[in-house]
Amino acid sequence: MSAPSLHSFQDQVSELLLRHRSLLDVMSKMGQTNAAAIRSVTKAITECGCIELHATKQDFEPGMDLEQAKETISKHVQGELCENCRDVITNELGRSLFYMSALCNSLGIEMDEIVERESQKCATLGLFNMS
């Protein structure tokens, strides 16, 4: 079975969302679910310990080329998510995606359009997209 398209998922959310149809409700639920997703990652570190966070300053040397910079940059994450933490985080991210879709529905925006625009920006701006 293939994954549903963003459009079909967005239609499904529109059919299922009953309680939180108000734009304000959708925005507050989106914030709540995003916070829950972040909290579940935090708990994977602080309660389970399956992953560790070792954050330090990212050092870039003048004259470093792109490949050297990519090798130097650290994700700051060590270890791998256990099955339980992966499941919890995946569920929380799914709820966040649900409310993002609901927000798009409330505002008449297609999620496919958002992905297409971001992809075009990434292709055009490349490395400088998020800096």
Side-chain angles (χ1 to χ4, degrees):
M1 181 175 163
S2 65
S5 69
L6 287 175
H7 181 76
S8 64
F9 178 70
Q10 200 167 344
D11 286 345
Q12 185 179 25
V13 168
S14 181
E15 293 295 320
L16 294 174
L17 193 66
L18 298 173
R19 233 176 125 213
H20 302 288
R21 278 210 179 268
S22 148
L23 180 59
L24 290 175
D25 283 341
V26 169
M27 289 189 313
S28 66
K29 288 299 285 184
M30 188 173 168
Q32 182 181 21
T33 58
N34 287 338
I38 292 167
R39 178 71 179 134
S40 64
V41 173
T42 301
K43 289 172 101 174
I45 297 166
T46 61
E47 289 185 14
C48 177
C50 58
I51 58 174
E52 294 180 1
L53 181 65
H54 297 276
T56 59
K57 179 182 177 195
Q58 301 281 16
D59 288 320
F60 296 99
E61 298 294 326
M64 191 181 286
D65 68 26
L66 182 58
E67 288 306 312
Q68 289 172 321
K70 285 181 180 179
E71 289 174 14
T72 304
I73 296 172
S74 170
K75 292 189 330 181
H76 296 153
V77 177
Q78 293 180 350
E80 288 188 32
L81 291 171
C82 68
E83 188 176 326
N84 181 59
C85 289
R86 178 177 295 281
D87 188 49
V88 170
I89 292 168
T90 300
N91 287 337
E92 295 297 351
L93 289 172
R95 290 184 63 216
S96 292
L97 187 60
F98 180 93
Y99 284 105
M100 177 186 285
S101 179
L103 181 62
C104 288
N105 287 342
S106 294
L107 299 173
I109 297 171
E110 292 291 324
M111 290 178 73
D112 288 326
E113 177 185 340
I114 295 169
V115 171
E116 179 63 29
R117 280 188 181 189
E118 282 302 307
S119 179
Q120 287 175 353
K121 278 199 295 189
C122 288
T124 302
L125 298 175
L127 184 62
F128 302 101
N129 184 46
M130 300 302 285
S131 56

